[in-house]
Amino acid sequence: MSDAIPPSNPQPEPSPGSSGYGFPPGPPASGGYGSPPGPPAQGGYGYPSGPIADGGYGFPQQGQPNPYQQEPAAPGAAGGQWPPQQPNQPEQGQLFAPAPAADQPDWEAMADRSAAERRKKRLWMLGGGVTVLALLAGGGTFFLLAGDSDKPSEADSQPSVSSSPTPEESGGSKAPAYSPTVEGDATLLRDSNGQTGIRLGPDMKLGPLGSRFQIVGKGTGNSFAQSAEPVVDVSKSFTVTARVYNSATKGSHIAVSQGDGESFSFELGVNEVNGKQAWIFRVQTGDKGAAATTRTVAAEGLSMVKTATMLMATYDAEKKLIALYVDGKKAGETPVPPIWQAQGPLQLGRSKHHNIWTGPWQGALHNIRIYDSALTAEQATAYKEGKLGATVKPTHSWLLT
């Protein structure tokens, strides 16, 4: 390259009608100042002269190899072809295709959908929590009695809540909430007036009945409950009472008894008399457990099945009499020799005959009380009506209402 300084060319003064100072003299060149003289090249300034190559400037000429073009597939070969051009793809000679407005993200709609998903998730979580609480609450619903078709259902085994008065000691302020079991042991019935709990067997279940508590037996060999020691001194006067609900249509079913040796001392419940079910109170007066040494008072001709009934059995040691009351009314009485003191504890839902457990209870039991005196007929009626008074107190009681 030469380092010579080019000569200076002073510009003449612009002549009138010319384009002004700095423009070359004469008429302006075609295409504007700075364009080469002569007609403009095809395709515009900067394009090569001659006809425009197929596909536009910058594309390979015909007959020249194209490094961006896929080689044609051999005949019969699978695939090997590009998919047809999509509507939004750029055509030849166009660098980018304009993106349609529909393909642009709608940020506002996306935010609305995200907020809706979060609300739905919160609702599901809230609904799940309510469902769990409902399931936990549903766990308090009393069980259904399982077994054969002749076994009682829940409705069969539980009496409806009665509107009749419940025997209670009168007087005093309102008692705190009643708990039927010993604290920390859901299978040990609490003795409200004494210190003798009663342990539930596998098929004797505790459950609510309105504001009351009851135990329900399935009529199986395990439908029982028993204390740890004897509760009734049969050598003295006593009274045993229980509110019962029998769901068995036949056979013997004992609500309360005492003794687990060769035989029972007494039993109170259901037995067949003259071919039909009847309420019975029976005592054993011999040490061998023979039928000949038993004494029985029966209440026949009453509604026996699926009827809530208040049973009361008394023994007057001075008069040597036993009596049976059904719903506060005396069903009968009979004289007896001294009652045999059998070994063993109080039983709920069964009785011992000839060293065999019999009379499994099928139905519900509650409001079980033991008195150390023989209540009179007047007291039995007052008891049924809830008017016995606080002067007569039980020595033991379970499942009070």
Side-chain angles (χ1 to χ4, degrees), residues 6 25 56 99 108 127 150-151 171 195 238 262 296 323 346 366 376 387:
E108 183 176 356
D150 60 344
K151 293 294 187 292
Q195 301 297 324
F238 66 86
E262 180 70 19
T296 303
L346 188 76
H366 77 104
T376 64
K387 300 176 181 180

Side-chain angles (χ1 to χ4, degrees), residues 40-381:
Q42 185 178 5
Y45 177 71
Y47 279 77
S49 59
I52 300 175
D54 186 17
Y57 176 69
F59 281 77
Q61 305 301 316
Q62 292 183 356
Q64 293 182 356
N66 185 354
Y68 302 103
Q69 184 177 3
Q70 183 178 350
E71 293 294 333
Q81 295 186 5
W82 293 99
Q85 185 175 0
Q86 299 301 319
N88 293 330
Q89 291 183 346
E91 299 179 356
Q92 283 189 337
Q94 187 177 3
L95 295 180
F96 298 98
D103 292 340
Q104 298 296 326
D106 188 344
W107 300 109
E108 183 176 356
M110 292 174 66
D112 291 343
R113 285 195 297 269
S114 177
E117 289 295 330
R118 289 194 298 269
R119 287 194 298 270
K120 184 183 296 184
K121 184 176 180 180
R122 286 196 298 267
L123 289 176
W124 275 107
M125 294 178 64
L126 179 60
V130 172
T131 302
V132 171
L133 291 177
L135 289 174
L136 291 176
T141 304
F142 198 51
F143 65 96
L144 293 175
L145 294 177
D148 300 331
S149 59
D150 60 344
K151 293 294 187 292
S153 65
E154 180 182 4
D156 292 338
S157 300
Q158 302 188 50
S160 59
V161 178
S162 174
S163 59
S164 59
T166 302
E168 296 286 351
E169 286 80 4
S170 61
S173 60
K174 184 177 180 180
Y178 175 76
S179 174
T181 57
V182 174
E183 184 177 0
D185 193 339
T187 63
L188 186 63
L189 300 182
R190 183 174 66 89
D191 187 349
S192 297
N193 293 93
Q195 301 297 324
T196 305
I198 296 181
R199 178 71 62 184
L200 299 178
D203 288 343
M204 188 70 86
K205 303 297 183 181
L206 174 69
L209 179 64
S211 60
R212 302 171 176 172
F213 293 92
Q214 63 182 359
I215 54 175
V216 178
K218 298 181 180 180
T220 65
N222 288 325
S223 298
F224 72 91
Q226 69 176 13
S227 63
E229 57 189 8
V231 172
V232 179
D233 184 355
V234 297
S235 66
K236 301 177 181 179
S237 298
F238 66 86
T239 296
V240 177
T241 183
R243 193 169 188 265
V244 304
Y245 182 85
N246 169 51
S247 59
T249 59
K250 58 183 179 180
S252 174
H253 301 277
I254 303 303
V256 186
S257 73
Q258 184 166 283
D260 63 357
E262 180 70 19
S263 179
F264 61 92
S265 284
F266 69 86
E267 58 183 11
L268 174 65
V270 179
N271 200 5
E272 292 191 358
V273 178
N274 299 323
K276 295 182 179 180
Q277 282 190 328
W279 299 115
I280 60 98
F281 174 44
R282 180 182 291 124
V283 298
Q284 178 59 261
T285 63
D287 59 356
K288 302 299 181 181
T293 56
T294 61
R295 298 292 185 271
T296 303
V297 178
E300 302 179 62
L302 302 178
S303 179
M304 301 293 302
V305 181
K306 299 178 184 178
T307 302
T309 305
M310 184 67 68
L311 297 181
M312 178 181 288
T314 65
Y315 170 61
D316 189 327
E318 294 182 2
K319 298 180 179 179
K320 300 294 190 289
L321 286 174
I322 60 172
L324 175 63
Y325 298 86
V326 179
D327 288 332
K329 299 178 180 179
K330 181 182 281 190
E333 64 179 19
T334 188
V336 295
I339 300 174
W340 176 60
Q341 183 76 53
Q343 296 179 351
L346 188 76
Q347 304 286 334
L348 302 181
R350 65 180 181 178
S351 181
K352 204 67 173 289
H353 284 242
H354 303 290
N355 211 30
I356 298 174
W357 290 114
T358 63
W361 184 254
Q362 184 172 315
L365 299 172
H366 77 104
N367 204 16
I368 303 162
R369 304 188 191 203
I370 306 295
Y371 294 85
D372 59 1
S373 63
L375 299 186
T376 64
E378 292 76 14
Q379 289 174 322
T381 300

